[in-house]
Amino acid sequence: METLISSVSTALGWSLLHSLWQGAAIYLILFGLYLAIPGLRATTKHNLALAAQVTLFFCFVYTFFDLIDYRTTQESATPLSLKNEELFYIDYLHEKQSSIQHYFMYIVPLYLLGILVQSISCTRSYLQVKSLKRKTTDHIPSAWQEQFTHSIQRLGITKNVRLLLSDQIFEPLAMGFFRPVVIFPVAYINKMALAEVEALILHELAHIKRNDYLLNIMKIVMETILFFNPFIWLISRHIQTEREQACDDSVVSLLPQQINYAKALLTVELLKKEASSPRMSLAASGTQHKLLQRIKRITQAKMETSYTTIKHQLVASLMVLFTLVSVAWTQPNSKKEVNKTDAAITKTNIETNELATLSSQYNNTDWSDDSLDNWASDIVLTTDTNKITTKKFESPEWHAYIAKIEENARKVEEKFNSPEWHAHIAKIEENARKVEEKFNSPEWHAHIAKIEENARKVEEKFNSPEWHAHIAKIEENARKVEEKFNSPEWHAHIAKIEENARKVEEKFNSPEWLAHIAKIEENARKVEEKFNSPEWLAHITKIEENARNLAKDILDSKYKKKP
């Protein structure tokens, strides 16, 4: 098991490093295509970027499975019965491992931790989407619903798409693949013209027609697995930009007046107080720094994206250069070590075969005098792959080789007979004994029994008649609520409310009401003119003068009566 984990960890570590130069190469090809063919449509650019991201992902997966040492994992279960020279070369190979490989014990756990964090983020986004769909209403204005149905027919969408309203969002969203929905903020009902709503509806339906929701989930999965690779995020940026602009092109081709769509995007941005769109949804406006570029693109009929900014080129070039330098730093040493490793393994196999052949020949040889006389002149031992003569065993190289093998065997024997090794084995046995005691202890058995008892109680609770009755009651209440909102009475009530609203709107827009308001305004103007006329002001002045004279006369008569 340890060998398997080590092999997978090593393959994963090298796959992470190889993914960097693979991403740099693929991004350079994609960027070069954009610059070489500037007239590409947004849909084509989106498909190229998506293909580049998928290619990078499969390169990572292929590299990982290609680097796993299946031979090591299969032979890991064989007992330790290696000969002395094989042990020597195994030690030699371990000492000659690439230096960068020592960091895999830190890189791989950090990568797995990043995968966990990214998965939690995706799960939270998915739960937000599900929660958002539950907090919507289908009480749509009739004019909106008619426009929505007409837009579905114009785009040729065969899926059953629903239009919903929500007070939890600030911009339109499209989500779902099998049961797609388009969700609009409730605030848009009184703040957007029907022409602007039509443009936004066409944009969201374009996402559904292109299956962008499913493609977006695939993109998020690849981003989650390759989150460490900066080129996956650069390619994702291209995908998002071209996805929105492809939908813009679709809307502009269907609208007679392109300025209405630009006004709609601007209105969405003004009404959006904060960005709270889930990651798995597809919003109409996008980020703020891209809004101005989209509006210019729509109003000026310039259906292309600029990828030739100095800042963009500089960042991409620096990232590619850094990746290539990093790979160049690690790869040559790796190749040398691999070559050395292969050579050592080959040498070990050849020499092991030679020793095995010699031993076999020695045991099967006739050592009689006649045989020795015939064999002494020129003895030749043959194997399946090599021919070894007696001259080899008289050479200084062979004696040095035998001495080296004996020295290695002595070192291995000393290692396994050393006090440190015996202490290590004793420690392992002590730990195994403690683990065995722990799992056989009364406390552990009591703990397991408690867990089983709790599991039994939980199972009894969920299987009890009370719980089933509670669930049945919840389902019954849900059914009643659904029946109420689907009942003819409720629909009639909603229709009556809409009818009354329509009558009120017609009343306040009727010529009689407008004439009545005009008459009230005319009377108010006449009253204002009367109270501001010189005659009225003179009349008021005269009244005030008479009031002063009357007060004076009353006061004078009062003082005259006093003695």
Side-chain angles (χ1 to χ4, degrees):
M1 189 64 183
E2 270 182 42
T3 308
L4 176 61
I5 295 175
S6 177
S7 176
V8 172
S9 176
T10 303
L12 183 57
W14 282 114
S15 299
L16 298 178
L17 294 181
H18 286 305
S19 176
L20 295 177
W21 71 262
Q22 291 168 354
I26 292 173
Y27 183 76
L28 280 177
I29 295 173
L30 177 66
F31 198 76
L33 287 175
Y34 283 171
L35 295 179
I37 314 175
L40 288 174
R41 296 174 55 200
T43 303
T44 305
K45 291 180 180 180
H46 171 270
N47 295 337
L48 285 174
L50 186 62
Q53 194 174 59
V54 172
T55 302
L56 178 55
F57 174 74
F58 278 107
C59 284
F60 172 77
V61 175
Y62 173 80
T63 304
F64 171 70
F65 285 104
D66 184 61
L67 291 177
I68 293 180
D69 191 356
Y70 296 99
R71 179 186 58 188
T72 303
T73 58
Q74 292 173 358
E75 295 177 356
S76 61
T78 58
L80 185 61
S81 60
L82 298 176
K83 298 184 179 180
N84 295 333
E85 67 276 7
E86 292 175 328
L87 290 173
F88 167 74
Y89 279 110
I90 287 175
D91 291 338
Y92 171 80
L93 294 179
H94 279 292
E95 292 174 359
K96 292 297 183 178
Q97 282 183 344
S98 175
S99 59
I100 192 66
Q101 202 164 315
H102 293 289
Y103 296 101
F104 288 170
M105 61 183 297
Y106 307 107
I107 295 175
V108 173
L110 287 176
Y111 169 73
L112 297 178
L113 180 62
I115 289 285
L116 179 61
V117 173
Q118 289 289 109
S119 301
I120 293 174
S121 176
C122 292
T123 304
R124 288 184 60 187
S125 181
Y126 176 75
L127 294 177
Q128 287 179 5
V129 170
K130 299 294 288 184
S131 175
L132 183 60
K133 291 178 69 174
R134 289 194 296 266
K135 298 177 182 179
T136 56
T137 178
D138 57 355
H139 297 156
I140 311 298
S142 56
W144 284 32
Q145 188 62 50
E146 292 175 2
Q147 186 62 57
F148 184 73
T149 304
H150 180 62
S151 300
I152 291 178
Q153 295 173 353
R154 292 178 66 184
L155 289 172
I157 298 176
T158 57
K159 295 181 180 180
N160 183 21
V161 188
R162 298 172 60 199
L163 178 62
L164 303 173
L165 293 178
S166 174
D167 57 356
Q168 305 291 322
I169 60 174
F170 302 97
E171 55 184 332
L173 304 175
M175 61 183 70
F177 177 72
F178 296 105
R179 292 181 294 178
V181 295
V182 176
I183 305 177
F184 269 67
V186 175
Y188 285 12
I189 295 179
N190 299 321
K191 296 181 180 180
M192 294 193 73
L194 186 59
E196 297 176 355
V197 173
E198 177 189 7
L200 296 178
I201 287 176
L202 287 172
H203 179 93
E204 300 305 325
L205 289 177
H207 280 303
I208 294 175
K209 183 179 180 180
R210 289 163 40 86
N211 297 321
D212 283 339
Y213 183 80
L214 180 62
L215 297 178
N216 193 47
I217 292 179
M218 293 172 53
K219 181 176 74 70
I220 291 173
V221 171
M222 291 185 286
E223 290 172 355
T224 301
I225 296 176
L226 298 177
F227 71 93
F228 64 93
N229 195 326
F231 298 102
I232 201 75
W233 298 106
L234 286 175
I235 297 174
S236 292
R237 184 179 178 184
H238 287 300
I239 293 175
Q240 293 171 358
T241 300
E242 300 304 336
R243 179 178 64 198
E244 295 302 322
Q245 293 186 356
C247 293
D248 291 344
D249 294 346
S250 177
V251 174
V252 169
S253 65
L254 295 174
L255 287 180
Q257 296 182 353
Q258 300 175 0
I259 192 65
N260 289 335
Y261 185 39
K263 288 181 179 179
L265 291 178
L266 185 59
T267 304
V268 168
E269 192 62 31
L270 292 175
L271 292 176
K272 185 175 65 173
K273 303 215 176 178
E274 58 179 310
S276 60
S277 302
R279 188 181 175 191
M280 293 188 178
S281 62
L282 301 171
S285 63
T287 55
Q288 293 182 0
H289 67 278
K290 296 180 181 178
L291 178 64
L292 181 60
Q293 180 185 355
R294 290 177 61 191
I295 292 178
K296 285 182 178 180
R297 186 173 180 272
I298 293 168
T299 55
Q300 297 177 4
K302 185 180 180 183
M303 297 305 176
E304 61 182 24
T305 307
S306 176
Y307 293 99
T308 58
T309 61
I310 297 177
K311 181 180 178 181
H312 199 168
Q313 287 187 12
L314 181 61
V315 171
S317 301
L318 289 177
M319 294 183 68
V320 171
L321 181 62
F322 175 76
T323 302
L324 295 179
V325 169
S326 301
V327 173
W329 177 68
T330 59
Q331 194 65 14
N333 293 333
S334 175
K335 290 182 178 179
K336 291 180 180 179
E337 300 302 334
V338 171
N339 293 335
K340 290 181 179 180
T341 301
D342 292 341
I345 292 174
T346 303
K347 184 176 181 181
T348 302
N349 292 335
I350 292 174
E351 292 169 348
T352 303
N353 291 335
E354 291 176 355
L355 289 175
T357 304
L358 286 174
S359 177
S360 176
Q361 293 288 344
Y362 179 85
N363 294 329
N364 297 327
T365 301
D366 183 9
W367 294 100
S368 62
D369 294 337
D370 295 336
S371 297
L372 288 175
D373 292 338
N374 297 328
W375 187 55
S377 60
D378 188 14
I379 303 174
V380 178
L381 302 177
T382 59
T383 63
D384 293 339
T385 57
N386 302 286
K387 294 183 178 180
I388 305 175
T389 64
T390 55
K391 295 181 180 180
K392 178 176 181 179
F393 301 107
E394 298 173 357
S395 63
E397 292 81 4
W398 178 258
H399 290 293
Y401 173 68
I402 294 298
K404 189 175 182 181
I405 291 177
E406 292 175 349
E407 176 66 17
N408 292 331
R410 185 185 60 76
K411 290 181 180 180
V412 170
E413 184 178 4
E414 288 179 357
K415 178 179 179 180
F416 288 112
N417 292 329
S418 63
E420 294 79 7
W421 180 260
H422 288 294
H424 179 65
I425 295 298
K427 187 176 180 180
I428 293 175
E429 293 175 349
E430 177 66 17
N431 292 334
R433 186 185 58 77
K434 290 180 180 179
V435 170
E436 184 179 4
E437 289 179 357
K438 178 179 178 181
F439 287 115
N440 292 328
S441 63
E443 295 80 6
W444 179 260
H445 288 295
H447 178 65
I448 295 298
K450 187 176 180 180
I451 292 176
E452 294 175 349
E453 178 66 18
N454 292 334
R456 185 185 58 76
K457 290 180 180 179
V458 170
E459 183 179 6
E460 289 179 355
K461 178 180 178 181
F462 288 115
N463 291 330
S464 63
E466 295 79 6
W467 179 260
H468 288 295
H470 178 64
I471 295 299
K473 187 175 180 181
I474 292 175
E475 294 175 348
E476 178 65 20
N477 292 334
R479 186 185 58 78
K480 289 180 180 179
V481 170
E482 183 179 6
E483 289 178 355
K484 178 181 178 180
F485 288 113
N486 292 330
S487 63
E489 294 80 8
W490 180 260
H491 289 294
H493 178 65
I494 296 299
K496 187 175 180 180
I497 292 175
E498 293 177 349
E499 179 65 20
N500 292 335
R502 185 184 59 78
K503 289 180 179 179
V504 170
E505 183 179 5
E506 290 178 355
K507 178 180 178 180
F508 287 116
N509 292 330
S510 64
E512 295 80 6
W513 180 261
L514 297 177
H516 179 64
I517 295 299
K519 187 175 180 180
I520 292 175
E521 292 176 349
E522 178 66 20
N523 291 335
R525 186 183 58 77
K526 289 179 178 180
V527 170
E528 183 180 6
E529 289 178 356
K530 179 179 179 181
F531 287 115
N532 290 329
S533 63
E535 294 81 5
W536 180 260
L537 295 176
H539 179 66
I540 295 298
T541 304
K542 187 176 180 180
I543 291 174
E544 291 175 349
E545 180 66 24
N546 292 334
R548 284 195 299 270
N549 293 334
L550 181 60
K552 184 177 180 183
D553 292 341
I554 294 173
L555 292 174
D556 291 341
S557 62
K558 182 177 180 182
Y559 288 127
K560 287 179 181 180
K561 290 180 181 180
K562 289 184 179 180

